[in-house]
């Protein structure tokens, strides 16, 4: 393009605040309107809508239940699930809050919060048991959170519901924080031998969704 054409385009973009001209260096950069457009796009992201195809694909590929959770303060709750077409399978109750230390979906949130938020959780929240296998010792939980961060997913065996097992991984937003968590869950005895296969498929799904959410 000619310099004159480029200059006309830049003048139009400056008028609308999309670019900014540094008068000293004569260099252009993005303007405030560009930031507002970006924020407007982020505000309209609907994780439940974005995640729906991934949940369906996970459930179909693994013949297990795939779920989506979101966080509200120091609890999390299921907001969507896709169940497989088999006689024996797991299902979850939508909208019920659970603490962030109990179960794979919960710890997939807790592990990827900022260190000060994790410290505050242990300082202020009761570490209650949901089943006999729910871990409630802070040292054990902190060691598990470190392991979750290393491998990228959390795992649970009968911690939230007797006879159930799950693997869960976070969907990260543009700040690198967990916007939601996706899990694959099923009967304990069946999922025990399928954990790695389920985790691989799960991580492929969460990485794709995290990229669409603008994760670094």
């Amino acid at each position: 393009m000619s310099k004159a054409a480029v200059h006309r385009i830049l003048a139009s973009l400056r008028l609308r605040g999309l670019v900014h001209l540094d008068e000293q260096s004569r260099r252009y950069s993005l303007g405030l309107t560009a930031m507002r457009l970006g924020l407007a796009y982020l505000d309209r992201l609907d994780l439940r809508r974005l995640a729906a195809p991934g949940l369906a694909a996970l459930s179909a590929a693994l013949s297990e239940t795939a779920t989506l959770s979101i966080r509200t303060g120091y609890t999390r709750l299921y907001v969507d699930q896709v169940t497989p077409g088999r006689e024996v399978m797991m299902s979850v109750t939508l909208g019920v809050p659970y603490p962030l230390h109990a179960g794979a979906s919960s710890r997939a949130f807790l592990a990827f919060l900022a260190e000060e938020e994790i410290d505050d959780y242990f300082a202020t929240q009761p570490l209650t048991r949901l089943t006999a296998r729910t871990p409630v010792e802070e040292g054990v939980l902190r060691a598990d959170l470190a392991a979750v961060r290393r491998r990228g997913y959390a795992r649970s065996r009968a911690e939230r519901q007797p006879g159930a097992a799950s693997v869960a991984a976070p969907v990260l937003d543009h700040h690198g924080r967990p916007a939601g968590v996706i899990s694959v869950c099923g009967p304990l005895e069946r999922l025990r031998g399928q954990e790695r296969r389920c985790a691989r498929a799960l991580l492929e799904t969460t990485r794709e969704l995290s990229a669409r959410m603008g994760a670094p």
Side-chain angles (χ1 to χ4, degrees):
M1 297 174 67
S2 68
K3 288 185 178 180
V6 172
H7 186 268
R8 285 196 300 271
I9 292 171
L10 285 172
S12 181
L13 294 176
R14 283 184 66 197
L15 184 64
R16 290 159 177 81
L18 284 162
V19 297
H20 170 74
L21 174 64
D22 187 305
E23 298 292 349
Q24 292 185 337
S25 68
R26 306 304 296 173
R27 290 183 175 273
Y28 290 90
S29 60
L30 290 175
L32 287 175
T33 302
M35 181 187 70
R36 294 190 187 104
L37 285 174
L39 292 174
Y41 175 79
L42 293 173
D43 285 343
R44 75 174 179 83
L45 281 179
D46 182 343
L47 182 58
R48 189 169 182 266
R49 174 181 54 81
L50 287 176
L55 293 185
L58 267 180
S59 182
L62 301 172
S63 295
E64 299 292 358
T65 299
T67 74
L68 173 67
S69 296
I70 62 169
R71 183 168 70 96
T72 57
Y74 283 149
T75 64
R76 64 96 191 167
L77 49 94
Y78 294 109
V79 293
D80 203 1
Q81 68 176 321
V82 177
T83 56
R86 61 195 307 174
E87 187 173 349
V88 179
M89 54 86 176
M90 301 302 302
S91 65
V92 300
T93 303
L94 304 185
V96 176
Y98 297 102
L100 292 186
H101 66 277
S105 290
S106 291
R107 286 201 300 283
F109 271 116
L110 188 58
F112 290 91
L113 296 182
E115 285 297 329
E116 57 268 24
E117 291 178 288
I118 296 174
D119 291 341
D120 188 63
Y121 182 83
F122 286 119
T124 63
Q125 303 301 305
L127 301 179
T128 54
R129 294 186 189 274
L130 301 185
T131 73
R133 300 186 67 171
T134 305
V136 293
E137 297 80 15
E138 181 176 338
V140 171
L141 285 165
R142 284 186 179 274
D144 185 69
L145 296 180
V148 171
R149 287 191 291 271
R150 285 195 301 272
R151 64 175 173 259
Y153 69 92
R155 56 193 177 197
S156 168
R157 294 176 179 174
E159 292 182 19
R160 188 188 62 80
Q161 184 176 345
S166 65
V167 290
V171 176
L172 304 178
D173 65 14
H174 59 294
H175 294 300
R177 292 173 56 82
V181 162
I182 291 178
S183 79
V184 175
C185 60
L188 175 58
E189 292 307 315
R190 191 167 71 212
L191 208 66
R192 192 193 302 271
Q194 298 291 320
E195 180 184 301
R196 289 188 178 181
R197 174 171 172 257
C198 291
R200 284 195 297 269
L202 171 68
L203 289 173
E204 287 181 10
T205 299
T206 54
R207 284 168 184 155
E208 179 182 344
L209 281 170
S210 294
R212 294 185 66 185
M213 293 287 289

